[in-house]
Amino acid sequence: MHPAPRALRRAVAAATMVLLATAVGCAPQPEEKASADPSGSATKSCAQGELATKASGKLTIATDEPAYEPWFKDDKPANGKGFESAVAYAVAKQLGYDKSAVVWQSVPFNKAFAPGVKTFDFDINQVSISSERKKAVDFSSGYYDVRQAVIALKGSKAAEATTLADLRNLKLGAQVGTTSLAYITDVVKPKQEAAVYAKNDQAKSALKNGQVDAVVTDLPTAFYITAAEVTNAKIVGQFENQGAAPEQFGLVLDKGSALTSCVTGAVDTLRKDGTLAEIEKQWLSDAVDAPVLK
């Protein structure tokens, strides 16, 4: 066999190079950026002060009206006083928004986690994280571990209760849509249907007026009510948390919100560096142990 002419050899070599280049161009390429920085896209989207918020350059935070103590102070969420106001501003700072860039909005408790597009970036209003609520909204990780408590007027039959069985013959009340109400129906299982109120203020009035024997709220609220609002009432006791994980309050966001991971990251950082514990100590220090109802 004779060697191929030089021109033919050159043509074959050139064709081979073209085929190799085409093959390399069509092959999957290594994702250098992704491997070097697995959170690259998240890092960009969580750039401080540059989130895709409802209002450019602003962070819109919602809560109910009135804003109750000890979660807020003087019914003024924007003053930075009270546990949830302080937490909200700490999260905002972590996200790159100073106090002047925070806009507060009033949203009723039930509406905050109802289905539908939200007008806020996140809501903070003692909303317990639950699988049912997660069907309609997103939650951050928990910013507060909470227990529910029972309040009754001093000297009443309800005030002497020490067990769940003691509560079953009583008329109990709580705010609509709350974990407090769920504890009445699912844990206490009273013989009388629970009284349901649109606001905690209405539940407190019902207790004062003798329309209910006792009301259920979260423990810090119970301490504040008995110390400052219904001083002739006492905390009967608190419930054990149901399930393996503690009940937690979480920040509420739009379902599928692009901010969820950023807000969760901020809350996680505040928990890890001790900020949440410091805020809790400052504003909820009175929420000490109460008898456990079993």
Side-chain angles (χ1 to χ4, degrees), residues 232-249:
N232 63 330
K234 62 172 282 189
I235 296 175
V236 177
Q238 62 178 308
F239 296 107
E240 290 184 302
N241 274 317
Q242 303 299 302
E247 178 189 349
Q248 293 184 315
F249 292 158

Side-chain angles (χ1 to χ4, degrees), residues 173-185:
Q175 184 178 351
V176 65
T178 60
T179 305
S180 305
L181 182 59
Y183 265 72
I184 293 176
T185 56

